[in-house]
Amino acid sequence: MEVVTIKVSELKKLVSQENLLPFNRKISEKHVAKMTDSIADCGILRLPVIGNLIYAKGKRAIIDGQHLVVSILKSDAKEVQCIVKDYETKAQVIADVSKLNNTQKSWKDDDFLDAWYKYGMDNYNHYQSYAYLMEKYERYDLPCGFLVGLYAKSKNEFKLGRLEFRNFDLSNEILEIADTLKTEFKMPAHSLEGLKKWIFSRESKTTNLDKLKSRLYNSLRTKEINSKIGRDEFMEELSKIYTRL
């Protein structure tokens, strides 16, 4: 890894669609506008990270800072100092992309899911898990963060490309209940978090989910439970309706 001065004309090529990494974020014009204003006021305060992709015959790509590079192109700069690092494999690239964005907290859960899904079979040990989670994300109208918390044993491992399921069968059953609550009863995401938390807190106990569903759906239809209830309040209501005689 070294700091290298690169001409802006070369950086311009790196932000063309064919040269952007498939698992990096889409460029946001709003973000670019903010960074352009920042550069005009304060100058370039951090360096883009450029990768020499040895596995791709030395092709170069932006590892971190694609919004910064687009903003630099809007300035009067003719050349820019960049951190340049060699990458022997795709695994090294995605590891750095993931770590950099994880540290900066600029990526959301769906960014990480999209990245590791597009990384494909090169992430052989975990690809099927990401493909399964992606199918659920595309199929159900539920927040990605909810799905990650529902399926992933560790959110940090999920972000690093090592997704493992916490309780596959139970997660699938909770998903079906959550989908019904969202589609039929218009229940918000924070209430669904209560459902997830309540059921997982009982993993050491025997929970009859058919009994829970019957009582829960009936209580919502009769307005015994408000469908717009908060997470903790919903957990209390679940305990009441499940344990009553």
Side-chain angles (χ1 to χ4, degrees):
M1 183 171 65
E2 59 182 338
V3 176
V4 175
T5 299
I6 297 179
K7 293 182 178 180
V8 168
S9 58
E10 181 178 347
L11 291 179
K12 186 175 182 179
K13 297 176 183 178
L14 297 184
V15 293
S16 61
Q17 195 60 45
E18 63 270 19
N19 290 323
L20 290 174
L21 294 172
F23 37 75
N24 218 327
R25 290 184 303 166
K26 295 179 181 178
I27 294 176
S28 164
E29 292 301 326
K30 186 176 181 180
H31 192 181
V32 169
K34 288 182 178 179
M35 295 199 75
T36 302
D37 290 341
S38 176
I39 290 174
D41 291 339
C42 308
I44 301 171
L45 299 180
R46 67 183 181 91
L47 306 183
V49 179
I50 308 299
N52 283 327
L53 310 183
I54 296 174
Y55 64 87
K57 298 180 180 180
K59 174 184 174 181
R60 276 186 168 178
I62 300 170
I63 305 300
D64 183 60
Q66 61 187 29
H67 286 84
L68 175 58
V69 170
V70 174
S71 300
I72 289 171
L73 295 177
K74 296 178 179 293
S75 72
D76 295 329
K78 302 299 181 185
E79 55 186 21
V80 179
Q81 285 192 316
C82 300
I83 297 171
V84 177
K85 183 176 179 180
D86 291 341
Y87 292 90
E88 298 281 350
T89 65
K90 286 183 181 179
Q92 293 172 349
V93 173
I94 195 64
D96 271 8
V97 171
S98 177
K99 288 176 184 176
L100 285 166
N101 285 284
N102 195 2
T103 301
Q104 296 168 10
K105 297 183 180 180
S106 56
W107 267 18
K108 297 179 181 179
D109 292 322
D110 54 349
D111 293 311
F112 284 101
L113 175 59
D114 186 62
W116 288 110
Y117 173 68
K118 287 180 178 176
Y119 187 37
M121 288 301 293
D122 288 330
N123 187 21
Y124 181 78
N125 291 331
H126 301 282
Y127 172 70
Q128 296 299 336
S129 296
Y130 285 97
Y132 186 86
L133 192 59
M134 178 61 81
E135 187 274 330
K136 297 300 182 187
Y137 182 48
E138 292 178 339
R139 177 180 171 188
Y140 293 89
D141 183 24
L142 292 166
C144 188
F146 174 81
L147 294 174
V148 173
L150 181 60
Y151 282 95
K153 185 182 295 186
S154 164
K155 189 165 186 176
N156 188 57
E157 291 296 290
F158 157 78
K159 290 182 176 181
L160 295 175
R162 299 190 289 263
L163 171 62
E164 292 185 5
F165 294 131
R166 59 190 297 178
N167 187 328
F168 185 76
D169 292 333
L170 182 57
S171 295
N172 280 336
E173 291 185 275
I174 296 173
L175 175 62
E176 294 302 325
I177 299 174
D179 180 55
T180 298
L181 295 179
K182 174 71 183 298
T183 56
E184 183 174 341
F185 299 103
K186 312 303 178 186
M187 189 164 278
H190 57 266
S191 299
L192 301 182
E193 289 290 341
L195 169 76
K196 178 177 67 180
K197 185 176 180 181
W198 185 82
I199 295 178
F200 276 131
S201 71
R202 295 174 52 85
E203 278 190 272
S204 60
K205 306 174 184 179
T206 300
T207 302
N208 185 329
L209 293 181
D210 287 333
K211 168 185 167 182
L212 174 66
K213 287 188 289 185
S214 176
R215 293 187 174 188
L216 174 57
Y217 298 161
N218 182 64
S219 296
L220 286 166
R221 291 186 181 110
T222 60
K223 308 297 183 182
E224 178 185 350
I225 296 179
N226 183 349
S227 62
K228 301 300 187 291
I229 196 169
R231 186 194 70 177
D232 293 340
E233 292 82 2
F234 188 40
M235 292 177 66
E236 292 176 5
E237 292 296 333
L238 288 172
S239 294
K240 288 178 183 177
I241 65 172
Y242 186 79
T243 58
R244 72 187 178 195
L245 296 177

